[in-house]
Amino acid sequence: MAGGGSGTEELNLIPYMDVMVNLIMFMLVLVAVLVEFKETPVLAPSYCDGCGGGDGEQIPFVTVVVVPAGYQIMVGGGAEGKIEIPKKGGKYDTRSLTANLKQLKVQFTKLSDNLVLVADGSARYEEVILTMDAARFDGTADKAPLFNGITFAKSDE
């Protein structure tokens, strides 16, 4: 053979290691950034017979339904009446929703801190998020909580 070499050469791993170190650094930064995002806790619906206090008393709950015409608020599954909040200028009236929810919290002292949210199939994602924000905080500068938990329920339509 020409050249007189044995034909074995060492594999150069430096470019491969450079790429791997860059990928690892990128993944570490990405994970650190993703941990910073805050998530809104959403509760899954639970099914049980006779849920409530230990003394057999049912705690009234609030249901907010997002429909194309606006909002519908029901307390205790509609047993206490229904509040209709129409849209204003083609947009959902989140201020009126917050004001009505605050009034319900004052009116019903033993109201559950969990709100049931039912969104119509035509409701957009942004509208549902705005509804959740309006129901979670009282609208003041200190953002006092109204309903800490939100449970999504399925619309029968």
Side-chain angles (χ1 to χ4, degrees), residues 17-129:
M17 291 177 65
D18 284 343
V19 169
M20 293 307 291
V21 167
N22 285 332
L23 284 175
I24 289 172
M25 295 303 289
F26 175 74
M27 295 299 276
L28 286 173
V29 169
L30 181 66
V31 168
V33 169
L34 287 178
V35 169
E36 291 296 317
F37 286 126
K38 303 291 182 211
E39 296 179 0
T40 300
V42 176
L43 307 171
S46 62
Y47 300 98
C48 66
D49 294 328
C51 289
D55 56 359
E57 182 183 355
Q58 290 285 82
I59 298 174
F61 60 93
V62 175
T63 303
V64 175
V65 184
V66 182
V67 293
Y71 294 120
Q72 295 175 350
I73 304 173
M74 296 175 281
V75 178
E80 305 291 333
K82 186 190 309 186
I83 301 170
E84 305 256 349
I85 303 173
K87 286 184 175 180
K88 281 189 179 176
K91 294 188 177 194
Y92 287 93
D93 190 4
T94 55
R95 289 184 184 207
S96 292
L97 175 67
T98 303
N100 279 294
L101 291 175
K102 281 172 62 173
Q103 184 179 10
L104 287 174
K105 276 283 208 181
V106 171
Q107 183 179 354
F108 297 97
T109 56
K110 290 188 175 184
L111 199 61
S112 172
D113 284 335
N114 189 22
L115 177 119
V116 179
L117 178 63
V118 181
D120 184 74
S122 63
R124 294 180 30 221
Y125 175 77
E126 294 85 11
E127 295 162 345
V128 174
I129 298 300

